[in-house]
Amino acid sequence: MAILLVTAVCSITNCFNYITTVKLLNQTMVEMVEIAANVVEKDLDGYRRLAGELAHNPLLNQNIPKAQVISESNDAEAIKKNIADELNAIKNRNGFTSIDRTDAKGVSLRTRLNLANKDYFLMPKQNGEVFLSDPIIEQDDETMTIVISAPIIKNGQFDGILFFGVDGTMLCDMVSDVTIGQSGSATIINSQGKVIGDHHIEKVFSQYNSQQEAEMDSTLGSLAQIEQAMTAG
């Protein structure tokens, strides 16, 4: 008899808290789910550790002087160029889609855009921890990006963030490698119940949410109730 079971087995960040596991789950398979979740969490932890290390890189987190005279302006521009060159080297070496840092007010070093209202700036500023975003979807060119950011701390004070982007489809790749039993599969959902990782990538682009779908499809009611209980903590 095939059954559908949803279980929370890992805690990655507030946005990566739940993994949905499908079909034929017994105690042995639950253990397999936990192993699979640990593999996903380990991969994401690698990005978190890297972000933290980069935020402590003395070249990347050095202060940029505020120019008062032309000679000081030249010095400031030289420092910015050195930082930008190092960021480019790190981006190319790691295959990031982008990389940048901000000042304490949220102003980007490279684009000069103010990012102070972005979650990936606010969360590290508020809690002092590395942040992983949900996949940010660009429908125009059908791309997804996950932003990983870490706080820059100077003399005990928040001094901005170091952040980089990675291909958001990596979550789909991770769960595509997960097999539970003979026919089970895994899906990662966020705290709102939206799919952010699945072997059917179109579910991520469409931001599929079984809790919302259950309002129109009663067959999803049991799944939606379990997911709702899980995402409610």
Side-chain angles (χ1 to χ4, degrees), residues 10 56 69 74 89 141 178 188 222:
C10 64
H56 285 87
V69 296
N74 291 337
D141 56 4
V178 175
I188 301 176
S222 297

Side-chain angles (χ1 to χ4, degrees), residues 32-105:
M32 294 172 62
V33 170
E34 293 174 348
I35 293 172
N38 287 336
V39 170
V40 173
E41 186 174 7
K42 182 179 179 181
D43 287 342
L44 293 175
D45 275 347
Y47 285 108
R48 295 167 70 185
R49 287 193 300 272
L50 179 56
E53 291 170 2
L54 293 176
H56 285 87
N57 184 317
L59 176 58
L60 299 180
N61 66 19
Q62 63 183 306
N63 291 325
I64 301 172
K66 295 181 180 179
Q68 302 297 324
V69 296
I70 292 178
S71 60
E72 292 176 350
S73 176
N74 291 337
D75 290 341
E77 291 304 315
I79 292 175
K80 289 180 183 179
K81 183 179 184 306
N82 289 339
I83 295 174
D85 289 345
E86 180 66 9
L87 290 172
N88 282 332
I90 293 170
K91 173 179 177 288
N92 295 333
R93 187 162 61 244
N94 292 278
F96 298 153
T97 59
S98 61
I99 187 169
D100 202 350
R101 60 159 283 188
T102 73
D103 62 18
K105 295 181 179 180

Side-chain angles (χ1 to χ4, degrees), residues 163-179:
F163 65 101
F164 56 84
V166 297
D167 187 347
T169 61
M170 72 174 187
L171 293 178
C172 297
D173 294 337
M174 289 178 185
V175 296
S176 293
D177 293 335
V178 175
T179 301

Side-chain angles (χ1 to χ4, degrees), residues 4 13 22 45 105 136 171 210 233:
L4 186 65
T13 66
V22 182
D45 275 347
K105 295 181 179 180
I136 300 170
L171 293 178
S210 64

